[in-house]
Amino acid sequence: MKKNRNCESGWWVVLLTATLAAPVLGEASAGLFNAKLKQVITSSTLKWNNLKKEAMDTYVIGAESPQGPIYLCRARHEGDMLLGQLRPEYTSCAVSGSKSYDVFEVLQNIENASLITWKPWLRFSPKPSGGILVDSSVDSVFIGRAKAESGFSHNIGRIAYDFAIGKLLTFDDKNNEITETQGEILIEVEPVSYKIEDVELDLTTEQVRSSDPEIFGERVLSNVESTAATSTAAIEYEFNYSVSWGHGHGIGIGLNTTIEMADGTIYPQIEWANPFTEKRSKFYNLERYLEPGTACNVTFRGNRTERDVQYTGKLTTYYNDHDPRSRQMRGERTEITLEVEAVYGEIYFIGNNSLVPTTTTTTTTTTTTTTTTAAPTEPTESDKNNIPIEIMQPNQPGEIDSNNLVDSNMDKAQPDKEQNIKNAIVGPLGSKPNDANMRIISLTLFIPVFALLL
């Protein structure tokens, strides 16, 4: 009993896992009907993807409404994939007037690279070449729409063919289901060729992978003449060259593509997404300056190298019945080539195979340091005055004796004495300065007394 319960529990886990995984839809390329081949081909630019808010500008619009654009969506209903309307609020895909699903896919035009148009359709019109299918596994159900009488600009629906006669099943803004016998069908216009120009390599992204060196040949360069000369030889080698410009987004695989670099270099025409390969043959010149009677061994080797580097350029798409369309693109180029080099050995004498001596010149540089002794500096006048007399040495420059010191002081005092003499008040001969002052005071007192007596 316990074993049976474990088995039953295991089945429940498997069933629960399958149930949770079922609503998750992945990326799928849109299918196109090819009228010549009478079969479905895959679009390289149109895909059914889960809704992502950041990619809204690349979703295909089927109609307009006052609230905003209505996008083309699809959801699985009772086992069939049905076309629907992704209306504003963009939370569910309505596949009929009464049914909508929260798990759905939106038709996306990758990088808006595809040229899509709405072509007039009648019920007796044959299945068009380039018509976009709702489900790649069913080649009789296409994306269509009819002019709306009110509300939306168009009513989106599916065009289903029963043998050679088709009908358009749709519903309006009020969820009324309608069957139309005429309308429009969505077509992807097939390009005929591409041109990528102004191509520039982004060398900061370059990645190089090389194999171990491989020896392709060995040569001997010799000089048997009587004078020194440059000995030369040419060696031929072959290798397989390959270059691929990647797949890119929104570019049809296998279409003729011309590539022109920004510097004007034009590469051979390729089929897009298919690498260009060719067998190349080149010559490599060997040369060495040799003295008479000497020789040198040379090893010629190379590495098979693979380089990956990103590039940018302007992509122009050409159509039969429409004007060309251009856009900027970025891709990755992978180049496989052969890088070669010549390794020269040491030079030797042909007669005895001994190495030619190498002359080496050695230069010795001597650095001399000169020490300069400064001459004695005579003290300044102020320094002399600051030197104590008792430490002055005899015969020393600037020597001072006591006699000179006294005379010097007397000379300094003499001008002050003369100045005092010039400023003194000189009276009459035999007079004294104080006596003159007394006379002035006596005369001043006598004048008022005399005035009173009068």
Side-chain angles (χ1 to χ4, degrees), residues 10-114:
W11 282 109
W12 277 107
V13 172
V14 173
L15 181 60
L16 179 60
T17 303
T19 303
L20 293 175
V24 180
L25 299 177
E27 178 182 300
S29 296
L32 307 176
F33 182 76
N34 189 302
K36 292 182 179 180
L37 302 177
K38 302 296 182 182
Q39 66 182 23
V40 178
I41 60 175
T42 301
S43 172
S44 60
T45 55
L46 297 176
K47 296 184 181 297
W48 294 99
N49 276 327
N50 296 327
L51 179 66
K52 297 178 182 178
K53 296 294 185 181
E54 63 272 15
M56 297 290 285
D57 60 336
T58 61
Y59 293 152
V60 180
I61 298 175
E64 296 288 347
S65 72
Q67 293 77 29
I70 301 174
Y71 298 101
L72 301 176
C73 62
R74 70 176 186 177
R76 192 167 295 280
H77 172 71
E78 296 180 356
D80 296 327
M81 192 67 77
L82 299 183
L83 183 70
Q85 304 173 8
L86 182 60
R87 299 177 178 181
E89 293 187 3
Y90 311 119
T91 57
S92 62
C93 179
V95 297
S96 67
S98 59
K99 192 65 178 176
S100 62
Y101 292 92
D102 296 334
V103 179
F104 57 89
E105 295 173 333
V106 188
L107 184 61
Q108 183 179 11
N109 186 357
I110 303 297
E111 296 185 9
N112 290 313
S114 177

Side-chain angles (χ1 to χ4, degrees), residues 182-200:
Q182 63 180 4
E184 295 176 328
I185 190 169
L186 188 60
I187 303 293
E188 179 184 4
V189 180
E190 183 179 359
V192 294
S193 64
Y194 300 108
K195 181 179 181 180
I196 306 176
E197 53 190 337
D198 297 330
V199 176
E200 293 185 352

Side-chain angles (χ1 to χ4, degrees), residues 67-249:
Q67 293 77 29
I70 301 174
Y71 298 101
L72 301 176
C73 62
R74 70 176 186 177
R76 192 167 295 280
H77 172 71
E78 296 180 356
D80 296 327
M81 192 67 77
L82 299 183
L83 183 70
Q85 304 173 8
L86 182 60
R87 299 177 178 181
E89 293 187 3
Y90 311 119
T91 57
S92 62
C93 179
V95 297
S96 67
S98 59
K99 192 65 178 176
S100 62
Y101 292 92
D102 296 334
V103 179
F104 57 89
E105 295 173 333
V106 188
L107 184 61
Q108 183 179 11
N109 186 357
I110 303 297
E111 296 185 9
N112 290 313
S114 177
L115 176 59
I116 53 178
T117 61
W118 291 96
K119 183 179 179 180
W121 172 85
L122 298 173
R123 62 179 300 187
F124 295 108
S125 299
K127 292 187 287 188
S129 186
I132 303 173
L133 298 166
V134 177
D135 188 350
S136 298
S137 62
V138 181
D139 65 354
S140 59
V141 181
F142 297 85
I143 298 174
R145 69 180 185 179
K147 192 73 174 178
E149 296 181 357
S150 62
F152 303 153
S153 63
H154 296 82
N155 296 325
I156 300 171
R158 62 187 184 276
I159 296 176
Y161 276 87
D162 185 7
F163 296 103
I165 301 175
K167 58 182 177 180
L168 173 57
L169 305 174
T170 183
F171 54 98
D172 59 17
D173 60 322
K174 298 180 178 59
N175 295 325
N176 297 316
E177 297 189 359
I178 305 170
T179 300
E180 300 280 3
T181 58
Q182 63 180 4
E184 295 176 328
I185 190 169
L186 188 60
I187 303 293
E188 179 184 4
V189 180
E190 183 179 359
V192 294
S193 64
Y194 300 108
K195 181 179 181 180
I196 306 176
E197 53 190 337
D198 297 330
V199 176
E200 293 185 352
L201 303 180
D202 185 0
L203 297 180
T204 60
T205 64
E206 184 179 40
Q207 296 182 352
V208 181
R209 296 178 295 276
S210 300
S211 63
D212 294 333
E214 181 179 350
I215 297 176
F216 296 105
E218 295 179 341
R219 297 289 187 275
V220 177
L221 300 179
S222 60
N223 182 8
V224 296
E225 303 297 332
S226 59
T227 58
T230 299
S231 179
T232 61
I235 185 169
E236 183 181 9
Y237 64 99
E238 295 181 346
F239 65 98
N240 293 323
Y241 175 81
S242 173
V243 60
S244 172
W245 296 89
H247 294 274
H249 293 294

